[in-house]
Amino acid sequence: MPVLNEEDSLSAAVATILAQDYEGQREVVLALGPSEDGTNEIARALAADDPRIVVVDNPAGDTPTGLNLAVARTRHPVIIRVDAHSELTPDYAAAGVEVLRTTRAANVGGLMVARGRTPFQRAAARAYMSPVGLGGPAYHSGDAAQEAESAYLGVFRREVFDELGGFDPTLRRGQDWELNLRIREAGGRIWFDPHLQVTYWPRTSWKKIAQQFRATGIWRAELIRRHGAKNSLRYFAPPLLVLGLAAAGLEALAQLSGTTRRWPKFLRRFTSLVYVAPAGYVLGLLAEVARARDLGLRERAWYLAILPTMHLCWGAGFLRGLLRGAGTTADRSR
């Protein structure tokens, strides 16, 4: 478990691991980054109270570095990646090991079940689980066991790390996808099973959601730069949306300023088509919010704000990363 600034959730996350209904031996290795709250004190107190808990220092604070340091301290043939802001179901470890055995997969993942405690967080959770929100990967909304491109967190065979060298420390985001790509290229199988479920608590404010998705978009662009066509075409939808909205904005300014009156008639008709995509997008958002009947009025309002925030911040970040690379961009929303 890589840990950074998680004082509010660390104890509960560790408790769900220790409470696993699993007959075999287990250990919990916490990779402690340079937290600015009381996280590290909590982690060391937990380790002092239970010999199954081990802590390792991760001064860089980067997730892939912390994961590799933690894996290096483990002793068992199965490695289960967990996060400090996630909670496992009681049978997660046992079920994951059984799926590894029956499918002969190299890595197994399950469904990321987003939940919220506040109206904002519940709306964010709905966006995470909706195909209109994050979409794409089975672990956000899948309902059938299947081979997958990647996995949320992951239950790994140790051979993955012995043979492939673990997570790429130069990737601050998207390191899971990149490792799963190398697994598939080496002939291994990634398997999704919806019976494996992890509770995920989204960011708690609009600003943090915006920061998270901007950083995610930047690092996805970095993966596009490195691995090109091995990425799904769905990753290009948010940046195309951003470009479409920008084009519509420029067209509107041109019309308001009277510039378009000097253009040929056929050109005016052509450029006016830029409004079609933004209008369709807005109607799609309104339809999605109308379908969210399980949300209260306040939650629907947040849902309507969160969906375009996710899309546009991700898309803008992607365009920035595509042009300039990710560099040292970090997600500071936690």
Side-chain angles (χ1 to χ4, degrees):
M1 177 191 293
V3 182
L4 182 70
N5 295 328
E6 297 283 3
E7 67 176 359
D8 293 333
S9 59
L10 178 60
S11 295
V14 172
T16 66
I17 300 170
L18 297 177
Q20 290 291 295
D21 183 13
Y22 180 70
E23 295 181 356
Q25 296 181 1
R26 84 204 57 182
E27 61 189 349
V28 184
V29 185
L30 310 177
L32 304 183
S35 293
E36 298 172 349
D37 55 14
T39 295
N40 290 1
E41 290 75 14
I42 293 172
R44 297 189 191 282
L46 291 171
D49 290 339
D50 194 318
R52 295 173 295 177
I53 301 174
V54 179
V55 297
V56 296
D57 289 324
N58 175 27
D62 293 341
T63 296
T65 301
L67 287 169
N68 289 337
L69 289 169
V71 169
R73 286 290 299 273
T74 61
R75 300 176 289 115
H76 299 297
V78 174
I79 310 293
I80 301 180
R81 180 191 166 173
V82 292
D83 280 342
H85 45 274
S86 300
E87 297 175 14
L88 310 180
T89 56
D91 65 342
Y92 185 87
V97 170
E98 183 60 24
V99 175
L100 277 181
R101 287 173 174 156
T102 56
T103 63
R104 306 184 73 173
N107 182 23
V108 169
L111 192 63
M112 185 191 79
V113 183
R115 301 188 187 279
R117 298 184 178 94
T118 65
F120 177 89
Q121 202 175 36
R122 286 193 290 271
R126 177 61 180 261
Y128 270 84
M129 299 290 289
S130 169
V132 178
L134 290 183
Y139 56 77
H140 288 306
S141 55
D143 59 1
Q146 57 189 280
E147 285 199 48
E149 174 188 15
S150 188
Y152 177 56
L153 301 180
V155 180
F156 296 86
R157 296 182 183 273
R158 187 177 199 90
E159 291 86 348
V160 167
F161 300 94
D162 293 339
E163 297 179 16
L164 300 182
F167 295 93
D168 185 341
T170 68
L171 292 173
R172 292 189 172 184
R173 297 301 299 264
Q175 65 275 351
D176 304 87
W177 181 91
E178 191 275 339
L179 177 57
N180 284 301
L181 171 64
R182 282 187 281 135
I183 291 173
R184 290 186 284 112
E185 290 181 336
R189 172 186 289 183
I190 312 300
W191 192 261
F192 166 77
D193 191 310
H195 294 101
L196 293 171
Q197 296 189 3
V198 181
T199 297
Y200 173 85
W201 299 100
R203 306 306 195 263
T204 56
S205 71
W206 181 86
K207 179 181 178 180
K208 291 179 179 180
I209 288 284
Q211 290 175 326
Q212 176 192 11
F213 278 85
R214 178 180 179 274
T216 302
I218 289 173
W219 281 103
R220 174 52 59 179
E222 179 67 24
L223 289 170
I224 296 285
R225 288 164 64 102
R226 297 189 189 191
H227 300 286
K230 296 175 183 177
N231 291 266
S232 172
L233 289 175
R234 71 174 180 270
Y235 296 122
F236 290 91
L240 288 175
L241 171 65
V242 171
L243 293 175
L245 291 175
L250 292 174
E251 168 71 8
L253 288 174
Q255 289 181 345
L256 290 173
S257 66
T259 303
T260 57
R261 289 197 294 268
R262 297 192 294 272
W263 295 354
K265 188 175 182 180
F266 79 91
L267 182 58
R268 293 199 301 271
R269 289 180 176 177
F270 176 76
T271 57
S272 64
L273 293 177
V274 298
Y275 295 121
V276 174
Y281 177 69
V282 171
L283 291 175
L285 288 179
L286 293 174
E288 172 64 15
V289 173
R291 284 194 294 267
R293 297 177 181 177
D294 56 314
L295 298 181
L297 184 61
R298 187 178 179 188
E299 292 164 347
R300 286 195 193 191
W302 275 123
Y303 191 39
L304 184 60
I306 289 170
L307 284 173
T309 298
M310 292 166 61
H311 298 155
L312 296 177
C313 289
W314 200 103
F318 183 96
L319 293 171
R320 185 267 192 198
L322 199 62
L323 292 174
R324 300 172 53 187
T328 59
T329 299
D331 175 13
R332 304 193 184 282
S333 61
R334 288 286 183 191

